[in-house]
């Protein structure tokens, strides 16, 4: 638990220092009911794909300064990926946040 808290503190410090426009997070290990833990007035809208247990999980967070229309195309119920369609003016793109496990047991599902 102590190591996990250190990682979270380091991540939040990095976000504060770098001030990114878009965050794509993998291995969030958040249940759907716990997604609020990443909520921020600075980063909205936010999109999550959460597993039914505390493993996997992905999130995409957009800084509020980004003027875009964002639509969820597909979200995995096991928290492995989320696919978004993003429109910014005349530009349209697909954005995917993907959790790809590196163990044979996880890959075999």
């Amino acid at each position: 638990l102590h190591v996990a808290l250190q990682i979270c503190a380091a991540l939040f410090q990095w976000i504060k220092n770098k001030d990114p426009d878009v965050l794509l997070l993998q291995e969030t290990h958040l249940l759907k009911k716990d997604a609020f833990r990443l909520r921020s007035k600075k980063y909205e809208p936010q999109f999550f794909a959460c597993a039914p247990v505390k493993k996997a999980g992905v999130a995409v967070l957009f800084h509020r300064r980004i003027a875009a229309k964002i639509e969820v195309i597909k979200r995995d119920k096991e928290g492995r990926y989320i696919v978004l369609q993003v429109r910014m003016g005349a530009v349209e793109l697909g954005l995917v946040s993907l959790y790809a496990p590196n163990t044979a047991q996880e890959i075999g599902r």
Side-chain angles (χ1 to χ4, degrees):
L1 180 62
H2 182 64
V3 173
L5 292 175
Q6 287 177 334
I7 292 170
C8 287
L11 173 63
F12 288 127
Q13 186 62 48
W14 182 88
I15 292 169
K16 182 179 178 182
N17 292 341
K18 300 296 183 181
D19 197 29
D21 292 334
V22 181
L23 289 162
L24 287 87
L25 305 174
Q26 292 78 37
E27 286 196 82
T28 60
H29 294 245
L30 292 173
L31 298 173
K32 191 173 185 178
K33 69 179 184 74
D34 295 326
F36 74 92
R37 294 180 190 277
L38 288 179
R39 294 281 180 219
S40 164
K41 291 179 183 178
K42 196 173 187 179
Y43 285 92
E44 293 216 359
Q46 299 182 346
F47 302 91
F48 298 90
C50 301
V53 295
K54 283 191 170 190
K55 65 178 189 176
V58 296
V60 182
L61 291 69
F62 291 86
H63 197 289
R64 64 181 176 184
R65 70 176 159 245
I66 301 300
K69 181 179 178 187
I70 305 157
E71 179 183 343
V72 176
I73 302 299
K74 190 160 186 165
R75 183 186 329 239
D76 181 49
K77 293 178 183 176
E78 293 186 27
R80 293 177 293 188
Y81 64 87
I82 188 166
V83 180
L84 303 174
Q85 181 176 358
V86 181
R87 290 188 191 110
M88 295 180 287
V91 177
E92 187 172 323
L93 56 102
L95 187 62
V96 178
S97 184
L98 174 70
Y99 164 67
N102 61 3
T103 64
Q105 182 181 12
E106 289 286 322
I107 293 171
R109 288 198 279 153

